[in-house]
């Protein structure tokens, strides 16, 4: 079920085998500037983030209506971030000096921190993960919530999607086109680093590209979830059924279906839900305890736990489980992931920080870091660190976090913009002059 797709935020490679990207996912998130900070917008332009436009079609809050003429990046939904494209009505933020809705720093902070976890996870080779109980516990801890949380935010920012022509154009330009571009790039890097034949299989996403394929499908189904009674229980049933079925790898179908409940949950959330996490003192005090308990549980379970349970690309048969135990474990994972995701969001900084502007351009580090980790694992650049166990993982963690920051900076975005936000005749509008590079996403509406 998972020949090309490996893990969403997992290690870059398997013992001696090709890297996770070489045939296998994270997160993708959004592209707009930090709320009310012109300097932040310059430091980490809002536009740089196809992932954000991709994952968020301007969510409309209760009673609010998405603006058909709004630019793809207005509000949390530009081409710079994989998880958002929302409106001020949704995020509860007021309009900034430009007349456009101001971004919510809490959401941008959450998206960037999740992207950092994605990059860190991909920087750890599977040999290192399986060779150290401590490292494996850290990997299980990260994987227990980081992609579900990112997908949840993607669903939240997709609430305003109704399938209007302008929205469909943005979806094609901001998600489908980057997907096709990076499928070619990842195939080329794998050929160079791993000596694999250059063979494009555009229907089977490679490495991190699975998220773009999944987001494309999820976004198209948003109108459907509006008319289905009790959509979340239905999505859970679909997810469980997918795990007990034999699915192919086309369009990352196993992950599309098994991660689906988190996207649907995001569609059901409202600003008040996030506000409670941010303002409730008891929740914020309990959150670190929940995260610590999750770490302790991961350490206790690490020796006998198969990490493939968390990748959502392997079904019951591949995991070697009978039906009832499989379903019980999956239900337990839903509960654990919900707790960990809520705890993570509760400890995310609420105010503007130096990382806030980077949260508007998460598509850049998301798509670019995989090229680096695929090459690194292919050429064995991290091999000297593998015998070091936790120390090696610590060094790779520092490198991964630094790479996430570096790939979010304005100079990198300027260079990568033609790949991540390519101009598409008939779908995107020419970028206005006078704006600093990376401060707005492609205008596709």
């Amino acid at each position: 079920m998972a020949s090309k797709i490996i893990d969403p935020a997992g290690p870059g490679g398997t013992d001696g085998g090709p890297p996770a990207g070489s045939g296998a996912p994270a997160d993708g998130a959004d592209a707009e500037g930090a709320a009310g900070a012109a300097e932040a917008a310059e430091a980490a332009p809002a536009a740089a983030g196809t992932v954000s436009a991709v994952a968020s079609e301007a969510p409309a809050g209760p009673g609010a209506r998405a603006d058909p003429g709004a630019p793809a990046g207005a509000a949390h939904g530009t081409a710079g971030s994989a998880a958002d494209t929302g409106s001020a009505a949704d995020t509860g933020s007021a309009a900034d000096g430009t007349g456009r809705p101001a971004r919510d720093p809490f959401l941008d902070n959450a998206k960037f921190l999740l992207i950092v976890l994605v990059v860190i996870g991909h920087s750890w080779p599977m040999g290192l993960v399986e060779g150290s109980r401590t490292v494996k516990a850290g990997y299980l801890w990260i994987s227990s919530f980081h992609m579900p949380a990112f997908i949840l935010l993607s669903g939240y920012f997709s609430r305003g999607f109704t399938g209007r022509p302008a929205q469909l154009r943005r979806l094609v330009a901001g998600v489908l086109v980057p997907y096709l571009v990076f499928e070619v790039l990842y195939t080329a890097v794998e050929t160079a680093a791993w000596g694999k034949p250059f063979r494009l299989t555009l229907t089977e996403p490679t490495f991190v590209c699975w998220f773009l394929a999944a987001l494309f499908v999820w976004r198209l189904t948003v109108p459907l979830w509006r008319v289905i009674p009790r959509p979340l229980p239905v999505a859970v049933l679909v997810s469980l059924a997918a795990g007990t079925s034999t699915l192919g790898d086309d369009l990352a179908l196993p992950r599309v279906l098994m991660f689906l409940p988190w996207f649907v949950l995001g569609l059901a959330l409202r600003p008040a839900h996030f506000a409670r996490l941010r303002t409730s003192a008891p929740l914020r005090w309990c959150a670190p305890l929940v995260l610590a308990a999750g770490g302790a549980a991961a350490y206790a379970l690490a020796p006998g736990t198969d990490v493939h349970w968390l990748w959502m690309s392997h079904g019951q048969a591949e995991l070697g489980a009978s039906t009832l135990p499989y379903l019980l474990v999956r239900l337990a994972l839903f509960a654990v992931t919900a707790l960990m995701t809520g705890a993570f969001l509760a400890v995310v900084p609420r105010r503007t920080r130096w990382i806030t502007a980077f949260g508007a351009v998460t598509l850049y580090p998301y798509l670019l870091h995989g090229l680096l980790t695929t090459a690194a694992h292919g050429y064995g650049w991290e091999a000297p660190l593998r015998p070091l166990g936790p120390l090696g993982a610590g060094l790779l963690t520092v490198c991964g976090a630094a790479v996430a920051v570096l790939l979010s900076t304005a100079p990198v975005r300027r260079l990568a913009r033609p790949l991540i936000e390519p101009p598409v005749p008939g779908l995107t509008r020419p970028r206005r002059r006078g704006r600093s590079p990376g401060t707005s996403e492609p205008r596709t509406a």
Side-chain angles (χ1 to χ4, degrees):
M1 182 186 292
S3 62
K4 269 197 82 178
I5 306 174
I6 298 187
D7 78 300
T14 54
D15 316 70
S22 67
D27 3 118
D30 93 300
E32 61 184 290
E39 319 92 274
E42 173 62 28
T50 307
V51 184
S52 82
V54 172
S56 65
E57 268 302 333
R65 195 159 61 87
D67 177 9
H76 278 268
T78 64
S81 155
D84 93 66
T85 306
S87 67
D90 248 4
T91 59
S93 51
D96 60 17
T98 66
R100 293 187 299 172
R103 297 183 66 94
D104 185 339
F106 165 76
L107 296 172
D108 282 333
N109 292 337
K111 285 181 293 179
F112 182 70
L113 292 174
L114 289 170
I115 283 296
V116 170
L117 292 178
V118 169
V119 179
I120 289 173
H122 283 146
S123 69
W124 295 355
M126 186 56 89
L128 179 61
V129 170
E130 294 294 353
S132 166
R133 179 175 181 172
T134 301
V135 177
K136 186 174 182 180
Y139 177 73
L140 292 173
W141 184 84
I142 291 174
S143 300
S144 68
F145 69 89
H146 79 304
M147 281 311 299
F150 203 83
I151 293 166
L152 180 147
L153 292 179
S154 298
Y156 176 74
F157 288 116
S158 297
R159 293 186 295 139
F161 186 86
T162 58
R164 298 191 307 272
Q167 293 177 325
L168 293 173
R169 288 196 297 270
R170 289 199 293 270
L171 184 60
V172 171
V175 182
L176 182 58
V177 173
Y179 167 77
L180 297 175
V181 170
F182 276 84
E183 273 294 307
V184 174
L185 291 177
Y186 274 98
T187 302
V189 171
E190 288 183 358
T191 298
W194 290 87
K196 298 172 60 176
F198 185 88
R199 186 174 67 89
L200 281 176
T201 52
L202 296 178
T203 59
E204 295 181 17
T206 302
F207 202 11
V208 299
C209 295
W210 76 268
F211 180 78
L212 295 184
L215 185 58
F216 187 81
V217 174
W218 289 330
R219 181 67 60 76
L220 289 175
T221 67
V222 170
L224 177 65
W225 295 108
R226 287 201 182 94
V227 300
I228 292 180
R230 302 186 182 281
L232 185 57
V234 171
V236 170
L237 291 176
V238 169
S239 177
L240 295 175
T244 59
S245 306
T246 301
L247 302 175
D249 295 323
D250 289 348
L251 295 180
L253 188 58
R255 283 197 171 121
V256 169
L257 297 179
M258 285 197 267
F259 276 125
L260 177 63
W262 302 109
F263 183 82
V264 174
L265 176 59
L267 292 174
L269 294 179
R270 294 295 179 265
H273 296 115
F274 291 104
R276 185 178 181 189
L277 285 175
R278 289 182 281 187
T279 59
S280 171
L283 289 178
R284 291 180 65 82
W285 276 104
C286 290
L289 300 178
V290 171
L291 294 174
Y299 186 81
L301 298 173
T305 301
D306 186 345
V307 298
H308 295 89
W309 280 94
L310 300 175
W311 290 4
M312 297 301 153
S313 57
H314 292 66
Q316 169 193 338
E318 291 162 303
L319 293 169
S322 54
T323 303
L324 183 58
Y326 173 81
L327 294 176
L328 292 176
V329 171
R330 286 290 311 282
L331 289 172
L333 285 176
F334 280 131
V336 170
T337 298
L339 283 173
M340 293 292 287
T341 298
F344 166 79
L345 292 174
V347 300
V348 167
R350 294 169 287 175
R351 298 180 177 83
T352 300
R353 297 288 187 268
W354 67 272
I355 63 170
T356 303
F358 293 145
V361 295
T362 49
L363 187 60
Y364 280 73
Y366 180 79
L367 289 177
L368 296 175
H369 86 275
L371 299 175
L372 298 179
T373 56
T374 297
H377 294 305
Y379 290 116
W381 294 339
E382 86 297 340
L385 298 178
R386 295 189 185 187
L388 301 180
L391 176 59
L395 294 174
L396 288 173
T397 296
V398 173
C399 291
V403 165
V405 172
L406 175 65
L407 296 180
S408 302
T409 58
V412 173
R413 292 199 307 275
R414 290 189 189 98
L415 293 174
R417 186 183 306 284
L419 300 174
I420 294 178
E421 302 182 51
V424 184
L427 295 178
T428 57
R429 295 179 180 176
R431 189 177 299 279
R432 296 178 183 177
R433 294 184 179 181
R435 289 175 177 262
S436 59
T439 56
S440 64
E441 62 275 354
R443 302 308 187 193
T444 56

